[in-house]
Amino acid sequence: MIRRSLWVTLVTSLSTFLLAGPATSAESLQQVMKRRGLSQEDLLAAAKTYVPTGGRDEFVAFSSGGQSGHVIVYGIPSMRILKYIAVFTPEPWQAYGYDEESKAVLAQGRMDGRDITWGDTHHPAISETNGDYDGQYLFINDKANPRIAVIDLHDFETKQIVVSPVFQSEHGGAFVSENTEYVIQAAQYAAPLGGEYSPLERFNEDYRGGVTYWKFNREKGKLEPENSFSIELPPYSQDLSDFGKLASSGWSFTNSFCSERYVGGIERGRPPFEAGCSAKDTDYLHVINWKKAAQVAAAGKATKINGHDVIMMDTAIEEGLVYLIPEPKSPHGVDVSPDGKYIVISGKLDSHTFVYSWKKIQDAIAAKDFVKKDPYGIPIIALETALHTQVPLGLGPLHTQFDSAPGVAYTSLYVDSMAARWDYVNGKLLDRLPIHYNIGHLMTMHGDTVKPRGKYLVALNKLAIDRFNPVGPLHPQNHQLIDIGGDKMSLLRDMPLPLGEPHYSVAIEAGLLKPAIRYRVGTNTRTGEISPHKTRAGEEKIERNGKKVTVHGTLIRSHITPEIIEVDEGDEVTIHLTNLERAQDQTHGFTISKYNVNGSWEPGKTATVSFTADTAGVFPFYCTEFCSALHLEMQGYLLVKPKGYKAKVGELMPKEQYDQEDYEKQVATNVATQKTIDGVVSYITGRNYRQFATAAALFEDAAEQLEYAAEMKAKAEEEAANGNWHSATLWAGQWWQYQVKAADLGLRAKTHLEQAGAGPAM
Amino acid sequence: MIRRSLWVTLVTSLSTFLLAGPATSAESLQQVMKRRGLSQEDLLAAAKTYVPTGGRDEFVAFSSGGQSGHVIVYGIPSMRILKYIAVFTPEPWQAYGYDEESKAVLAQGRMDGRDITWGDTHHPAISETNGDYDGQYLFINDKANPRIAVIDLHDFETKQIVVSPVFQSEHGGAFVSENTEYVIQAAQYAAPLGGEYSPLERFNEDYRGGVTYWKFNREKGKLEPENSFSIELPPYSQDLSDFGKLASSGWSFTNSFCSERYVGGIERGRPPFEAGCSAKDTDYLHVINWKKAAQVAAAGKATKINGHDVIMMDTAIEEGLVYLIPEPKSPHGVDVSPDGKYIVISGKLDSHTFVYSWKKIQDAIAAKDFVKKDPYGIPIIALETALHTQVPLGLGPLHTQFDSAPGVAYTSLYVDSMAARWDYVNGKLLDRLPIHYNIGHLMTMHGDTVKPRGKYLVALNKLAIDRFNPVGPLHPQNHQLIDIGGDKMSLLRDMPLPLGEPHYSVAIEAGLLKPAIRYRVGTNTRTGEISPHKTRAGEEKIERNGKKVTVHGTLIRSHITPEIIEVDEGDEVTIHLTNLERAQDQTHGFTISKYNVNGSWEPGKTATVSFTADTAGVFPFYCTEFCSALHLEMQGYLLVKPKGYKAKVGELMPKEQYDQEDYEKQVATNVATQKTIDGVVSYITGRNYRQFATAAALFEDAAEQLEYAAEMKAKAEEEAANGNWHSATLWAGQWWQYQVKAADLGLRAKTHLEQAGAGPAM
């Protein structure tokens, strides 16, 4: 017999072949550099960005995913993408929009009775405490469909979507106030507020812009539409916003473009929007006293539009809530300095970046030093009155972020394809660095907070052209990491973005994020509450009520309970599943072939899939997440009986397939396997494994698997005692399955300890 | 006046601030290593994987995206992800499932009248010529819903989805024959062929597995269902397959698990599938003569099931098409050596990897040297008869790929979490390397072809646990790049996979891919044909036929034509758009706010969006892809008039907003801008720019923009000559817009030339 006993060779093979440490290569560093054409500068950049296996990135960036509707999470300096968080677009890996619980979140974003199956995410904002990121929540807007979503950074899942009750589009959100009291959302393309129709001929009279201040309830982790308000503004295509901070606390600033109020119409012989919207040298910065506006709204001075408080322009003017200042042509970013004393504005069609003085603006407002009013009666402060300085940084300035060094900022130059480092207090250009190509936004670490961290700058480029291996007409975007720790900026690394077009990003110190690795058992992760459908091991059941069939099931390495679900054609089937795992990264999936049923269950999660069984037949179901060596066997069947089907007689499998010899052979394997496991256990317990969180968790999980193994052993032995050899053999097989899982975990823990350099047990 | 003329400072600023070369950092390599805790080995790994800006990766990998339904494209050795290709799941960035053309592709994948909105992609295969990758097409399967998709590597788009006419699930595809004559797809979980219902009690009698050979028409780039056939097989959970090559040409090999034909039922007190499906020591390798089978099917000896040719088991046995060989328990990969002489099989529950000799198998078949028949009458070749050698590589061997060195292979060890290098001819383990954690498949370069390229190995790990910054309970996967160029394997880099769970990957020499950067103008990219809705500049139109409104429009930097679309509430609106751009990476998007309309137009593409205008109001539309400095102004309006609306009187904008002074000011700006452009042009033409493809293409694009500018100049001057100062000023503005685009392109070209070290013009 050529076959030999399995697993018994394990201990030998481990001792013979396990390597003591990482292998060394024969090729020297110099040889590698020569072969790969790397310069000394390249090597330095590689060293500054390489994160060895198991290492952590220093910062975590959250980037909008543009038209993908997602948020992109990546590490800095490695520029490795860690996760795409589904926000406005259904995504099956996360089961977002596939299980009933997440469908309910997406349904919050319906508009005019329509499902919106995507979003155009633009500007993420991390929740702040005292003006600095606290790492608790992330907000992101949808430009195409005026909405804001809330992502909980506890588990990186989207929890809420709110729909603008007044705007038809938006762009200038999400940005948060210093303690996340409000999230701002500014309209983009003007339209009648509330969705009414009006012809373009009445653009000046009926079309309006505005800003909405969404109230955030931090305790509930929810935006509160009932406590939010908007301010009506002229039809100036309001664009990006920023909240004031420290010196300018209580105020917010919103850019605009096309203050010409031009309406294009190429097809009618009129020059296009792009010509008419950039005809004048300046647009308007909106300066808004939001703290006072909140009081005005609370005092009942707002008008209800679609049930939402809107402070109309006349009221806003009368109450002194809104002022305008001319700003450079077609601006994008409006960025408040860390101390709140300066407001930096870049107009893409101006070669100067403008710095406004908050003190000068305040003084002008106090002194009512206005040059004139706009056509809607809003007081205008003269540019000269408010300006601190203007600096010729280069062509197409777009967005500014701040350095940890006082007075130092970075501005993207779209047309020049450069990043500029400059001194916004003294108005001096310090350095410029070429970018590939056409930088849009840029990002420094905590770069829009009261406490920027310096170190790195990321250029969010809109084109890749010749930067990467070609992948067809649709190119990735290119984020470039730049070292700003030295006297000169230096380029460190190019990162392609493989899905979606990021617009803006925010980066937080990695240590400020404290995500969970499991849920309380039975959690509806979208609400955070314990699901009424939480199911414990042994409580699984299938219930029928007329045509409605409800399954309460569980998932654990590596079986689905129940394994067989029988229904009749036409039944409405609801399946609630709970993942019983407690171990990190032990996610299970579930799908039913051809029924478009799909879900993902992270440890502790309860979620629901449902469908109408309108096709008769045999439909396998299985776990879609590779979860153990027996993952492929984590399967089952949905049987949909045709209408009027009469059962044929038959039996399920020969009952006496296995005999005493089979049983004894399996038990012998199990005993040998246990020896192997004992060897691994003894290795681990002989080390100070408790000091290594990963190893300790793996070991704990292994111990749990061995408890299951013991249960199965008891079952097998009971069947054997009664002479039920077939059943005894199968249960002995399941006993072995748990041993395999325990061995797997033990070996993982052992590898971890070896590589982490664990010492002897103490 | 504090404002000053724009852009005029350009030449000065360029000459003053443009840096001569990359900046140098004050920090030395040693300091960086110390600060970041890098070892010499880390530095070597960094040097082996770092790709400097603009550099190319040596290989391009195509990885399945698991439950995301996508294919993931990344570069090796940088491990940067270049693209997610949407295959089975709608994806808005690529407009896949959003425009009508791609909806038609997804509709091919409907099952039982149901939309399937996701897929579980598992095994990608690159088309082959003479047994080596040719880089033309990629095939990928959907395990959850038995389907195969075809991706054209000309543009990295999904072109076709075929649905299995016989299986209820599948796993063992896609793999291709040596010249891509066929793509194989093996059933996974047994069910009655063709979708009929039968109770589990009749599992042995009515449930079946099988393999399908999908005929590929390379000229059309399409699978041909009418020329494809299947072979009925026992209900053994057929798993992965591989085609024979060279010595074993004309044959294919398919694994199985659960040849026990066990049916679980925990909820009924029966041990679960995982126990009963792994009770026996061996499963069955299916050895199939596909070339002869194709002849048998062509000879009319197949049975039609759902209109599809199925060679029933009796026929297959009679014609000598199928043989079985015992193989190690619960195998996954079956991998044919580059010369076709050996078949390597890893059983996850066996610690030995088995090598079968094709010569021995052939001899046994020729001599009818069978030990017995399986319950369905298929001849079984004894394991001992077919075996070349078995090697104790470690626990949980799963999948094998080959090295460029003869006789050397790599096998993943799932339970050990290791990669093994070994000699499959002489049966010797050579090296093992720890992996984090639980490696599933692995991949070498061209590792399943007749000519593996060696150099790199990638471990496709199923868990990440402690490898990356935490991102909540749902972890990324971890692909680890390993250097196999030296005597010992060495780990180079960890890569998180941010979306979906890859199962299998294939990597091709980058130079073998020749993707396009643009389409012929007017291409329906999903069919490759010129769309009947192709629209040229000047041919844009809006047509009405009853309630049907059809728009033929165009997209170009940075306007949409038409800019205003007026319809009545309830109209059915169809918008065909053509992207007129010829320049690389000049994609435009299009969305209508709140109407769930979204599309992406790469250069030359024509595509269609449609909707019913069932909500009255004003709906802005815009370009969703940042395309120029005036991108935000690439906008327009959909006006949906309410039923019975009576127009109010009004006029569109004051007609005489701009006067002669405005016009002259704009012209002065344009003249100054032209000087700037001339300076850049003179720089470029003073260099050997034609030798730099990117710079030459940018320059050509810039020249085109200047032609547009000249047209606008003529229009402006004509209006000015007639004293129409308002209109003249606007057209002069548009003239300037084209100048800005030209300057942008010129500056990009200049940056490229400077960094590429261009020499003087020749």
Side-chain angles (χ1 to χ4, degrees), chain A residues 23-38:
Chain A
T24 51
S25 166
E27 206 178 19
S28 73
L29 187 61
Q30 283 66 32
Q31 287 168 325
V32 171
M33 287 176 67
K34 192 175 169 196
R35 169 170 64 82
R36 304 197 65 240
L38 300 180

Side-chain angles (χ1 to χ4, degrees), chain A residues 19 278 432 436 492 737 755, chain B residues 19 278 432 436 737 755:
Chain A
L19 300 168
S278 57
R432 302 211 306 178
H436 295 277
L492 293 178
Q737 291 308 336
Q755 297 207 325
Chain B
L19 300 169
S278 56
R432 301 211 308 178
H436 295 276
Q737 291 307 336
Q755 297 206 327

